[in-house]
Amino acid sequence: MPDIPRPSLLSAPIRRRDLFRLGGAVGGGLALSSLLAACGGDSSGSGSGSGSGDGVGAGQTIGLSLNGNNAYSSYVAEGVLKALEGTSYGFVGVQNNFDSSTELGNVQNLLSQGIAGFVTLPADAATIARAAELAQQQGVPVGNALWPGPSDADEYFTGVADLDSVEGGRMIGEWLKENATPGPVIVVQGIVGQGFSERIDEGLDEALEGSGFTVVVREQGFFARDTATSIVESGLQANPGVTAIVAYAASMSNGIAAYLEANGIDGIAHVSSDADDEMFEWLATPYLSASRYYSAAQTGLLVTQAVRAAIEGGDVTFDNQVDQVMVTAENAEQVVAENPYRYEQFAEQAASV
């Protein structure tokens, strides 16, 4: 592999055990990395970080269900913990290995523990709709951090993180038209069924129509770097003229970028979506061109605020808009300063039992 220096923009990716359970008041934190501190991240350790709750939430627990085990879901958890900062809420969380049957069982288990509020990063839209219905029947407010868009299931959710993924797909397509050479495109989706990848597909296809860019491969990568890399490798072998690769998550793009580097392939425009620590290192190389950036932590923060408002009798906002913008190496620092993708002071809580 060529020895290409990469700026150490961010700390190493966070790992999480398959199951974490955190009881007691929200507390205990880590200092932010130097970049996030410079970008305005909160590293004060005040509020829940010092373990001093204000009495709000005492005796009540917030449950969190994550679709899988990767950096993105860790950052969602950090956003949830940020929203509980300075309170006395307890916190309990599970992850579902991207399996819908596991997801439903885990949520039922959380509800059986008497949680006061519930936040979800869904593995499957239909499954989590059923889980939210069960929660509503028990009077438990639910926040959805990966809302697929309006549906009949909305009556079961207290608040949703409204990330316009159709617009996100358009943004990626418009970026390609302005910055890449028209030709064959490989698309690596996340998981079909969440309602997330399908909406990016819609916007991307709309933007690329008649542009000279043609999607020749479109497959699910299941947010796994090895699966995504295999899709790209096979796609390049079958379509040697590929000019662009689009992956719907940084967790997959990291593997793709490593593959491109290892094989000396640097003439392809590679665009990702969302962000994690490792992605910013690749963004400083020829192997990742841009990302449709939005903050995983913001999604967790917004819906947890809605759940808290419902529990505490405040004003509840159902539709919570999530910011998104195209990010490159040139504007990354400014974009992260304005909207951090994580709250690293809560990394230890989000990552370990």
Side-chain angles (χ1 to χ4, degrees), residues 152-163:
D152 293 341
D154 288 349
E155 64 179 296
Y156 306 125
F157 296 110
T158 300
V160 300
D162 186 355
L163 174 67

Side-chain angles (χ1 to χ4, degrees), residues 11-17 20 22 26-33 36 42-43 48-49 66 69-71 73-82 85 91 277 297 341-353:
S11 58
I14 295 299
R15 305 294 184 190
R16 187 197 309 103
R17 300 180 191 176
F20 61 86
L22 303 172
V26 179
L30 300 178
L32 287 169
S33 67
L36 286 180
D42 180 7
S43 59
S48 66
L66 298 173
N69 180 14
N70 58 24
S73 54
S74 284
Y75 303 160
V76 173
E78 290 174 13
V80 172
L81 290 162
K82 177 67 174 176
E85 187 176 30
F91 175 76
D277 290 348
Y341 61 94
R342 66 176 304 189
Y343 295 102
E344 196 177 356
Q345 68 265 46
F346 300 110
E348 187 173 37
Q349 289 178 274
S352 62
V353 177

Side-chain angles (χ1 to χ4, degrees), residues 2 69 77 90 107 124 142 149-150 163 194-196 219 229 245 259-260 263 276 316 339:
N69 180 14
V107 173
D124 181 82
V142 181
L163 174 67
Q194 289 180 317
F196 171 74
E219 294 184 29
T229 300
I245 298 168
Y259 168 81
L260 295 176
N263 289 276
D276 64 19
V316 177
N339 185 21

